Amino acid sequence: MTATKAPSEPRSQRAVRRPGDRIFAGSAKASGIFILLVLAGVAAFLVSEAVPALTAPAEDVPGGEGLGAYVAPLVLGTLLGAVLALLVATPLAVGIALYTTYYAPRRVATGMGYVIDLLAAIPSVVYGFWGLAVLAPALVPLHVWAADTLGFLPFFAGPASTSGRTMLTVGLVLAVMILPIISAISREVFSQAPALHREAALALGATRWEMIRMAVLPYGKSGVIGGAMLGLGRALGETMAVAIVLSGGAGATLNLISSSNPSTIASNIALRFPEATGLGINTLIASGLVLFVITLAVNMLARWIVNRRADFSGAN
């Protein structure tokens, strides 16, 4: 009689990780740890350098009214410009993404995609000079009209700026800057909508817009939100374009068309840091710490929204 062979172990149990797999896994892990260490190092530097400003008497802080009074208008200006840019850019980006994905001919869609993506490669200094030399003078009539017609609203209370260097102009410049970010992400998400859902909607007699509303938008909603939050983070940290366009320096105000505008945190640091000394430097770094916390909060909020919406999206 011949002895029967014992069944061999499954190949997956006998497989040994190859050196390349171990190297790749170790490199990926080291990269993730390195990013966390860099983030922790930046946070530690900002906190350590901001402590003198946080503990200094109010009269020693630039402005003489304390750190809170110094930072509050800057936070308002930062959020005001970024939110305005987001409100303008998000609908345009979604419309462009839908047009290039489902309406435009293939050649036109490809060309538009390249052109829009190239907007992200333009330096912020160029955007700043474009806003200062072209957009700001062109918006002066709009500022005058808004002050005369919508002056009962705090956003357009006036008096209208004669130079056009206002928060409204900054918001539009930032909107153009974040447009390619939101558009690229939205376009990619919309193109990955399940073909079965789209074809089923069309087969049931839905129009193209009804198909988009029922099959594409529910699937891509979380991606659009994530792209919008990335654009918001980009707008919050923009420095040179805002510094060139905005005529800042005033206190907290919601007026979008006046020459008296609150500055933003990033542009204020860029403009005042070269001449700052002593406690003034610590105050600027403390404002940078506030911007760091705001940006971190925005990214955490975006992650939470995307994860929450994923359970209700068409992907599931």
Side-chain angles (χ1 to χ4, degrees), residues 146-168:
D148 295 338
T149 308
L150 304 174
F152 58 92
L153 297 175
F155 300 105
F156 309 104
S161 172
T162 58
S163 63
R165 301 178 62 184
T166 64
M167 186 61 70
L168 179 61

Side-chain angles (χ1 to χ4, degrees), residues 140 143 155 157-168 245-251 253 255-263:
V140 171
H143 293 161
F155 300 105
S161 172
T162 58
S163 63
R165 301 178 62 184
T166 64
M167 186 61 70
L168 179 61
V245 175
L246 187 64
S247 176
T253 177
N255 196 340
L256 300 178
I257 61 174
S258 173
S259 297
S260 300
N261 304 284
S263 185

Side-chain angles (χ1 to χ4, degrees), residues 2-135:
T2 58
T4 59
K5 293 184 179 181
S8 59
E9 296 181 357
R11 185 176 181 85
S12 60
Q13 295 181 3
R14 295 185 291 108
V16 180
R17 296 179 64 184
R18 298 178 180 179
D21 296 332
R22 292 196 297 268
I23 293 174
F24 178 78
S27 301
K29 184 177 180 180
S31 299
I33 295 175
F34 176 73
I35 291 298
L36 293 178
L37 291 177
V38 170
L39 185 64
V42 171
F45 166 77
L46 292 175
V47 171
S48 63
E49 293 295 325
V51 167
L54 295 172
T55 58
E59 57 273 11
D60 293 341
V61 176
E65 298 181 1
L67 183 62
Y70 180 84
V71 175
L74 301 177
V75 172
L76 176 63
T78 301
L79 295 177
L80 194 61
V83 171
L84 180 61
L86 189 66
L87 293 177
V88 174
T90 302
L92 289 175
V94 172
I96 291 171
L98 290 175
Y99 176 74
T100 55
T101 306
Y102 293 107
Y103 286 94
R106 183 174 297 274
R107 291 184 178 179
V108 176
T110 303
M112 285 188 63
Y114 288 150
V115 171
I116 295 171
D117 291 342
L118 282 175
L119 292 176
I122 299 176
S124 58
V125 176
V126 176
Y127 278 113
F129 284 119
W130 169 74
L132 177 64
V134 178
L135 187 60

Side-chain angles (χ1 to χ4, degrees), residues 124 128 170 173-174 235 238-247 263-264 267:
S124 58
V170 168
V173 172
L174 292 177
E238 177 53 39
T239 303
M240 290 308 301
V242 179
I244 293 173
V245 175
L246 187 64
S247 176
S263 185
T264 65
S267 63

